Amino acid sequence: LPMLADREFKKLQKICGVDEEDLSDMITEIRALNPKPAAGFDYTISQTAIADVLMEKLPKHQGGGWKVVLNHETLPRVLINQDYVALVDNKSGTPAEKKFMTDKLHSANWLVQAMHQRAQTVLKVASAVIEAQDGFFLFGVEFLKPLTRREIADEIGVHESTVSRIAIDKFIGTPRGLFPLKYFFGSGVSSGDGDGGADIAAEAIKAKIKTLIDAEDIKKILSDDALAQALQNDGVDIARRTVAKYREAMRIPSSAGRRKQKKSL
């Protein structure tokens, strides 16, 4: 199977003792098989991620920009039943009973206020991220900017750990699809304009690399050096080893592997 994945067809023909036509029939039969035959007996329902924050583009007559709101369906609903409070309060006779009732009511009110404040902080963080990554939402992943949690924390006036906790499990529903909030945080590389600033996100670099590889000619497969040079010509200050790291992270084969794949295709 590793040889089949590497498209070493000549070696496979020799090992199996078949010609090219027989090997092609064998490969066709293998591709028709189910790689996970027991999957049909698994009835576990996967939990689909649900957006915690929703955004939409506002028309020009409404000022343009983005409308950002919380998805109230995902927010926990905690309410204090005032009728029950009044009923219990009327039944409380002794000072100890009244103090117990007052203490519990204060705790309940604190919980409601804390949850409301938490929801508003989530909205502030998401709004600040959307403003910072405006280019991504307008033009795509190649315009994603490097962004740190500290930058957002300073922007909205909270501690960095607060932004980190929110970014762990929150999702944003965008016109480009559903994204985890942590997707928009990441390091970057210098634009190469001489100011030393890191202003191109790693995900944007990966997108550029994939675009170059998808468009490469079978007669001129790009090496990591060539990819780095092409990116440098585009104003991205990046080393060959960084290109190799990003390429491997996207599970894209080396130039030799891609040449073999494209020739077989």
Side-chain angles (χ1 to χ4, degrees), residues 23-219:
L23 182 67
S24 178
D25 291 339
M26 293 162 67
I27 293 174
T28 300
E29 185 175 348
I30 290 174
R31 285 174 173 165
L33 299 176
N34 184 353
K36 298 180 180 179
F41 301 99
D42 186 3
Y43 298 102
T44 302
I45 300 176
S46 299
Q47 178 62 48
T48 303
I50 301 175
D52 300 281
V53 180
L54 302 171
M55 61 178 290
E56 62 176 317
K57 193 80 170 66
L58 290 174
K60 289 184 178 180
H61 70 272
Q62 293 185 8
W66 303 101
K67 178 182 179 181
V68 186
V69 297
L70 292 170
N71 183 0
H72 292 286
E73 293 183 3
T74 66
L75 295 176
R77 298 173 67 94
V78 178
L79 302 174
I80 298 176
N81 189 327
Q82 295 298 334
D83 292 336
Y84 186 71
V85 171
L87 176 64
V88 175
D89 192 45
N90 290 333
K91 296 293 184 178
S92 302
T94 67
E97 291 174 343
K98 289 184 178 295
K99 182 178 184 305
F100 176 85
M101 182 62 189
T102 300
D103 290 344
K104 296 306 177 184
L105 186 58
H106 285 167
S107 296
N109 282 324
W110 177 88
L111 178 60
V112 172
Q113 292 172 5
M115 294 180 66
H116 174 74
Q117 183 177 356
R118 168 76 171 178
Q120 293 305 307
T121 304
V122 171
L123 184 60
K124 288 180 180 178
V125 170
S127 298
V129 168
I130 290 169
E131 183 178 356
Q133 299 291 9
D134 185 61
F136 167 85
F137 297 109
L138 290 174
F139 307 113
V141 66
E142 291 192 14
F143 291 85
L144 195 67
K145 296 179 180 179
L147 184 67
T148 66
R149 291 164 175 78
R150 178 177 293 277
E151 288 177 285
I152 295 300
D154 292 342
E155 176 71 22
I156 64 176
V158 299
H159 194 273
E160 183 179 353
S161 62
T162 300
V163 177
S164 296
R165 286 194 298 270
I166 290 174
I168 289 175
D169 59 355
K170 294 294 182 287
F171 288 80
I172 302 181
T174 80
R176 293 188 176 275
L178 182 66
F179 291 89
L181 190 58
K182 61 184 179 183
Y183 174 83
F184 300 100
F185 294 98
S187 59
V189 300
S190 172
S191 63
D193 55 9
D195 62 2
D199 54 7
I200 303 179
E203 291 297 327
I205 302 298
K206 290 179 182 179
K208 290 178 180 291
I209 292 172
K210 188 175 186 307
T211 298
L212 289 168
I213 289 175
D214 288 344
E216 66 187 355
D217 191 324
I218 188 173
K219 297 180 181 179

Side-chain angles (χ1 to χ4, degrees), residues 218-232:
I218 188 173
K219 297 180 181 179
K220 192 177 181 181
I221 302 298
L222 299 172
S223 65
D224 290 338
D225 280 319
L227 289 169
Q229 186 60 56
L231 290 170
Q232 290 169 10

